[in-house]
Amino acid sequence: MLATHDLDGDFFCLARTVMGQKPGTPTFLQKGSRPVVAREREVAKTEAINALLIRPINILPARVGDPNRPFARGLWNDIRPLLKPEVIVTALRKAMATYVHSRSYQIAIARPGSFRHAINGEPVEPVSDVDRLDALEKYEGFKGSSRPDAAASARSQGPEGSA
């Protein structure tokens, strides 16, 4: 069974082992590692999102070096009303999906001690262990070494401790 209360990197090392991956903790999961910050490509994605809205939203990085912050659950309900009248919802959904499925966003979720943030950029709740493991799995998928069958097994033994 995984010890989900241990968020200092050992949890992810154990999860990686259960998932059949090489032991060792990625740098971004180590204590004291730097915050995940936006690069040019993330800023371009957030500019695309803000261009669809009647006003920019503060949770998104505005320039290179700004932090990538995980969204609070249900944030779509706060963002959707800000859509410009001439823009279709599908365009916003696609732009948001491009950002939240990015490697940097997944790293921001997987980091120990990360919090979800409201539309104004304020932290509202810690990221759950289940979401951290899911983000780690997605990160591994970016590297081309994801093993969904082992990850599903790790999840079934996950936070509730049930098989």
Side-chain angles (χ1 to χ4, degrees):
M1 175 169 31
L2 298 175
T4 58
H5 63 280
D6 185 7
L7 296 178
D8 67 356
D10 293 336
F11 168 78
F12 290 99
C13 185
L14 178 58
R16 289 166 58 93
T17 302
V18 169
M19 291 168 46
Q21 298 162 357
K22 292 186 242 176
T25 305
T27 305
F28 69 86
L29 291 178
Q30 296 174 359
K31 273 189 173 180
S33 61
R34 294 177 290 144
V36 181
V37 295
R39 296 174 294 175
E40 287 183 28
R41 74 180 78 157
E42 286 85 34
V43 172
K45 290 173 186 174
T46 63
E47 287 172 348
I49 293 167
N50 282 327
L52 303 173
L53 305 174
I54 58 175
R55 68 172 175 81
I57 52 177
N58 292 335
I59 189 171
L60 297 173
R63 59 188 163 276
V64 173
D66 285 353
N68 286 324
R69 296 177 283 220
F71 292 172
R73 295 194 176 281
L75 190 71
W76 172 258
N77 297 328
D78 296 332
I79 296 173
R80 166 63 182 90
L82 299 176
L83 186 65
K84 289 179 180 175
E86 67 274 11
V87 177
I88 60 171
V89 175
T90 304
L92 180 60
R93 283 193 187 278
K94 287 180 179 179
M96 295 286 292
T98 299
Y99 178 70
V100 300
H101 293 290
S102 70
R103 182 177 181 178
S104 294
Y105 185 83
Q106 295 304 315
I107 291 171
I109 291 175
R111 285 178 48 96
S114 62
F115 274 75
R116 294 192 172 278
H117 295 76
I119 197 167
N120 62 3
E122 294 297 317
V124 293
E125 67 179 338
V127 173
S128 72
D129 294 340
V130 171
D131 289 345
R132 286 184 204 286
L133 183 57
D134 185 55
L136 181 62
E137 178 183 333
K138 288 176 184 172
Y139 168 77
E140 291 297 331
F142 288 119
K143 292 175 26 179
S145 62
S146 180
R147 288 191 35 209
D149 55 330
S153 172
R155 256 202 214 105
S156 70
Q157 299 173 11
E160 293 80 32
S162 59

